[in-house]
Amino acid sequence: MRIPLPCRFGGSADCEGMTLPLSGVSWFKWSWGMEYTYFFSIGDKWHGTRFYSTLDTAQPFGIDIPDPLLIDKPIKEHGFPLKGTGYAWGVNYLDGKTYIDFVMTSSYQAHIRVQCDEKWEYVPNGDIIFPPSWDTEEKRGGAVLKGYRTGLNKERAEKGQEGKQMSIFDFME
């Protein structure tokens, strides 16, 4: 699917009269057409983002998201290390890295962002950004496939929790 963009990620475009760097896009299919929401970084501690929505597809730039990523199915079938089902809903650009924003339909519509490359494939050992309410190791670890938990296990070891009792659920995918 072609996603129109007002500029390249990290580049600047007009957002309600201000020239700001583009930091993300999301899309939603309504019965009357596709709506695109563009996010712009403003660097303010309390209000870090401005955005606007449009149905206009006439934009100077664009990205092509592979159609299989837009289908609600197990995320691991998309090639990403997440448990559960979901689909791509947006793309974010943070600190020079690109992330696909997955809506996890099996986890109460939670949004999990996973680092990807220019081919929209998972970056090995890439960053995973969880919802702010997923503030415990158990919540985060429960969303990631066991073979990809090296970063999460490293954090646990650094916190001195390596001797924690394991249960049968730690071995299930």
Side-chain angles (χ1 to χ4, degrees):
M1 178 171 84
R2 181 82 172 157
I3 307 296
L5 298 174
C7 64
R8 290 185 174 93
F9 287 118
S12 295
D14 180 61
C15 176
E16 301 177 333
M18 297 176 67
T19 301
L20 299 170
L22 181 66
S23 62
V25 62
S26 65
W27 50 86
F28 188 81
K29 185 175 183 175
W30 295 98
S31 59
W32 59 86
M34 291 293 288
E35 178 180 43
Y36 303 96
T37 302
Y38 301 107
F39 300 93
F40 297 86
S41 178
I42 59 172
D44 183 345
K45 179 180 178 180
W46 299 105
H47 307 286
T49 305
R50 287 197 181 238
F51 66 92
Y52 72 87
S53 296
T54 183
L55 299 171
D56 184 14
T57 59
Q59 299 287 343
F61 295 94
I63 54 175
D64 292 306
I65 301 292
D67 289 337
L69 288 174
L70 305 172
I71 298 170
D72 188 14
K73 64 181 185 179
I75 298 293
K76 66 181 179 181
E77 291 180 17
H78 293 301
F80 290 83
L82 299 177
K83 290 182 182 179
T85 59
Y87 58 92
W89 176 82
V91 176
N92 295 94
Y93 184 78
L94 306 166
D95 300 324
K97 299 176 186 175
T98 305
Y99 298 84
I100 292 182
D101 186 349
F102 285 105
V103 172
M104 303 298 294
T105 56
S106 60
S107 296
Y108 305 107
Q109 310 293 6
H111 289 255
I112 299 178
R113 298 175 183 147
V114 183
Q115 187 178 352
C116 65
D117 61 17
E118 64 278 350
K119 297 178 185 174
W120 308 108
E121 296 174 354
Y122 173 65
V123 172
N125 297 320
D127 296 335
I128 299 175
I129 302 172
F130 296 93
S133 63
W134 293 28
D135 55 353
T136 65
E137 185 70 23
E138 288 76 19
K139 287 181 183 179
R140 293 175 179 200
V144 179
L145 294 173
K146 190 172 185 129
Y148 295 92
R149 292 187 197 166
T150 56
L152 299 175
N153 290 338
K154 181 180 176 187
E155 289 176 13
R156 178 182 294 147
E158 290 173 357
K159 292 178 184 176
Q161 298 179 4
E162 61 272 14
K164 183 181 173 188
Q165 177 74 30
M166 295 180 75
S167 71
I168 187 69
F169 299 106
D170 293 323
F171 298 96
M172 298 176 72
E173 289 288 332

